[in-house]
Amino acid sequence: MRRSVAERGGAEAVADAEPEDDGEDDIDRWIADAGARRLYGWPLGSPDRAVTVRRVDGRTVTTDGPFAETKEQVAGYDLLECDDLDDALEVASGHPVAGGGVIELRPLWR
Amino acid sequence: MSSSVDAVALSFERSWGRLVAGLIAWCGDWDLAEECAQEAFAAAVTAWERDGVPAAPVAWLTTVARNRARDRMRRRTNEAAKVALAHADASDEVAPVDDEDIPDERLRLIFTCCHPALPMPARVALTLRTLCGLTPAEIARAFLVTEPAMEKRLVRARAKIAHAGIPYRVPPPELWGERVEGVLAVLYLMFNEGYAASSGDSLLRVDVSREAIRLTRSLVELLPGEPEVRALLALMLLTDARRPARVRDGHVVPLEEQDRSLWDLDRITEGARLLDADPPWGPYAVQARIALCHDVATRPEDTDWPAIAELYTLLPATPVVELNRAVAVSQVLGPKAALELVLPLADDLSGYYLHAATLADLYARLGRTSEAADALATAIEQAPTGAERRLLRARRESLLHG
């Protein structure tokens, strides 16, 4: 069963996910522990680098942002393939972001 | 009522959970398992009348339910049915002849129903439906929601189990402690809801606390090595022992005014026997000991309040625990000392009627009548059931005019 993991955290957690940060060792350890259960994933750039696109009346509208008003933001994602929810919870709970932020687990749509 | 109907009713009470748990293990389809279990019991009413009650009723019911399930799976063409059929065909197809041949899968079922990924009300509803065999209508009445709302809650819970991949199994050792605690929390909530409702305004509601006791009793057998499971059963029995004296003419009777001769001695004895004599005691064991302190006092003035106050310090110091400790302290050191403990809890417990009611009691004992009356007015507004409101109103009346 495949599911995606979204890492959400405050601004600090996003900073933690930046590649130059010390957090890299922790992530590497987590990836090693997850083994074949983690298929792929990547940290996301900060929301101030976001661009939004929509289609309105056949026209493409591109804007800068959005800049989330809320403190929580998606800091990264991973795709897991696990036997069941308990297995996925075990993998996700070991993620470094689970320590300060929140990990949201969702099954892929089927 | 004929004896075969009685036998079916008894079998239902004893074996519903075991039958459903075994069927889910066999086919992996919750809806199908429940439907076919229901049909097997319906078939038993006529068959047992005609042929007599079988020597192995669970095996008989399992065979009938499996046959129905297989028929339905063949007729259905969707993906889920094919998966269920493959699942069922892969497992043992020999018809069970003895009840001992049917493995007891109830532990898997209860851990799945009480999985932390499900919302709490869904855990309670699912447990009552699949393990206790209550109908959605009965559960809806017990929790004062409409039947369609309860149906929807159950459907959503089952869908979540399937879609989120909640496993049907007994948790592995690393999850054991946390998950057992989760199961006990569901059972205790169920008991409390039922106990509180027993003073409510409807006589039609099924007795959910009785189901909670029954299920906890089974869990004691299934998990003999867990002292907190035994302690929870003890706590339920020691609380339930006072039920016959708890309501009089539609009024809730406070502990100190209850007719103690009505208390159920068998329950008290059984509850006391379940408790370990020596610490360490978990939270349920401590609460059971507190209940026991009340149960063994033949008159209110015989209550061992210093022991109760001491026991409360062994529980995690939540605001509600502190409030209860303050009540015990008021009996040992007097209302003034207790008031100092209760007042700081006002923010944490605003909206909780027992905080206002306790304050009122302490003010009254200190002769501060108008403050007591104000606190009672607050408590009346916040009280959850009519019976409790009536009690508080009567108390306010006697304070002001008595």
Side-chain angles (χ1 to χ4, degrees):
Chain A
M1 165 168 291
R2 290 191 173 194
R3 62 188 75 233
S4 78
V5 168
E7 299 141 26
R8 290 183 300 161
E12 314 88 76
V14 176
D16 284 344
E18 294 281 340
E20 60 272 17
D21 198 88
D22 311 343
E24 211 176 343
D25 284 355
D26 294 343
I27 288 283
D28 287 345
R29 205 171 308 125
W30 176 72
I31 290 171
D33 287 347
R37 292 179 293 183
R38 174 185 176 274
L39 302 181
Y40 62 81
W42 210 252
L44 295 177
S46 64
D48 59 13
R49 301 183 206 167
V51 174
T52 310
V53 65
R54 273 171 300 169
R55 229 176 33 244
V56 181
D57 300 330
R59 248 167 20 94
T60 299
V61 180
T62 306
T63 46
D64 191 21
F67 310 109
E69 307 268 324
T70 53
K71 276 207 298 196
E72 282 191 352
Q73 352 174 309
V74 176
Y77 69 94
D78 288 277
L79 186 67
L80 308 179
E81 186 163 59
C82 295
D83 292 340
D84 56 44
L85 182 64
D86 284 347
D87 193 22
L89 285 171
E90 197 224 309
V91 176
S93 65
H95 193 286
V97 169
V102 179
I103 306 276
E104 182 177 323
L105 274 164
R106 290 209 205 165
L108 294 196
W109 177 263
R110 62 188 168 96
Chain B
M1 205 188 275
S2 74
S3 67
S4 67
V5 173
D6 285 344
V8 174
L10 189 67
S11 247
F12 186 90
E13 193 169 307
R14 280 198 192 144
S15 315
W16 166 271
R18 207 172 143 201
L19 179 66
V20 171
L23 290 169
I24 295 174
W26 174 72
C27 72
D29 183 328
W30 288 56
D31 292 320
L32 191 67
E34 265 173 32
E35 276 166 33
C36 297
Q38 204 129 28
E39 285 179 21
F41 277 108
V45 174
T46 29
W48 295 6
E49 173 77 50
R50 189 186 58 226
D51 310 327
V53 178
V58 184
W60 188 96
L61 291 161
T62 301
T63 305
V64 171
R66 280 190 195 177
N67 286 337
R68 306 257 164 155
R70 226 178 277 111
D71 284 350
R72 280 177 186 225
M73 287 187 276
R74 292 209 179 94
R75 261 182 279 131
R76 279 196 217 159
T77 48
N78 65 26
E79 206 54 37
K82 278 185 210 151
V83 172
L85 188 59
H87 195 305
D89 275 339
S91 46
D92 177 29
E93 278 300 271
V94 182
V97 284
D98 205 315
D99 282 359
E100 304 306 311
D101 295 344
I102 320 250
D104 193 339
E105 308 282 9
R106 279 179 302 169
L107 265 185
R108 285 164 75 174
L109 186 55
I110 194 164
F111 278 112
T112 306
C113 288
C114 298
H115 196 281
L118 296 168
M120 195 54 154
R123 287 181 227 171
V124 173
L126 207 54
T127 304
L128 286 169
R129 174 74 197 115
T130 50
L131 276 144
C132 305
L134 262 53
T135 64
E138 287 171 325
I139 308 169
R141 271 205 302 279
F143 292 96
L144 302 178
V145 300
T146 64
E147 195 180 335
M150 184 51 72
E151 294 267 14
K152 204 188 264 177
R153 191 181 292 176
L154 287 164
V155 167
R156 275 209 200 117
R158 284 193 207 104
K160 178 129 195 191
I161 289 173
H163 294 153
I166 294 176
Y168 188 62
R169 64 152 190 219
V170 171
E174 67 273 16
L175 291 174
W176 185 258
E178 171 199 326
R179 293 288 161 87
V180 170
E181 220 173 90
V183 169
L184 298 185
V186 170
L187 293 171
Y188 191 39
L189 180 84
M190 205 186 275
F191 174 78
N192 280 328
E193 292 274 348
Y195 194 71
S198 67
S199 61
D201 298 316
S202 169
L203 292 172
L204 285 172
R205 292 164 73 175
V206 282
D207 190 348
V208 175
S209 52
R210 181 171 158 265
E211 297 297 332
I213 290 176
R214 215 152 61 80
L215 205 50
T216 311
R217 225 185 257 287
S218 318
L219 205 60
V220 167
E221 281 163 33
L222 295 165
L223 298 174
E226 294 286 332
E228 276 289 89
V229 182
R230 252 182 299 123
L232 177 60
L233 179 59
L235 173 58
M236 289 176 177
L237 293 171
L238 293 169
T239 308
D240 201 59
R242 301 195 289 262
R243 183 200 288 246
R246 192 172 165 261
V247 180
R248 193 166 47 214
D249 310 325
H251 292 263
V252 174
V253 185
L255 197 55
E256 64 276 11
E257 290 165 28
Q258 287 180 10
D259 177 355
R260 296 181 179 223
S261 67
L262 297 176
W263 289 359
D264 186 334
L265 265 180
D266 290 342
R267 299 224 131 170
I268 296 172
T269 316
E270 191 193 350
R273 272 202 200 120
L274 286 161
L275 291 172
D276 288 339
D278 300 312
W281 298 321
Y284 291 116
V286 173
Q287 292 177 77
R289 295 208 155 264
I290 292 168
L292 185 60
C293 283
H294 290 296
D295 287 355
V296 296
T298 17
R299 296 170 308 165
E301 54 270 36
D302 299 332
T303 311
D304 188 351
W305 289 108
I308 294 174
E310 183 67 31
L311 284 163
Y312 272 116
T313 64
L314 299 177
L315 291 170
T318 64
V320 172
V321 166
E322 283 301 288
L323 181 68
N324 287 315
R325 188 168 73 85
V327 173
V329 166
S330 82
Q331 300 289 341
V332 182
L333 301 175
K336 202 158 172 296
L339 196 60
E340 277 163 34
L341 295 173
V342 174
L343 284 172
L345 302 170
D347 282 348
D348 285 326
L349 296 176
S350 69
Y352 183 50
Y353 82 106
L354 285 177
H355 180 260
T358 306
L359 259 186
D361 178 54
L362 297 175
Y363 280 136
R365 282 163 63 188
L366 289 165
R368 292 158 69 171
T369 311
S370 72
E371 283 156 296
D374 287 350
L376 274 171
T378 309
I380 291 165
E381 256 169 53
Q382 296 169 338
T385 68
E388 267 136 352
R389 271 190 294 280
R390 283 192 287 279
L391 168 72
L392 292 164
R393 273 202 205 100
R395 208 180 271 177
R396 192 159 184 272
E397 278 303 298
S398 75
L399 180 76
L400 293 174
H401 310 291

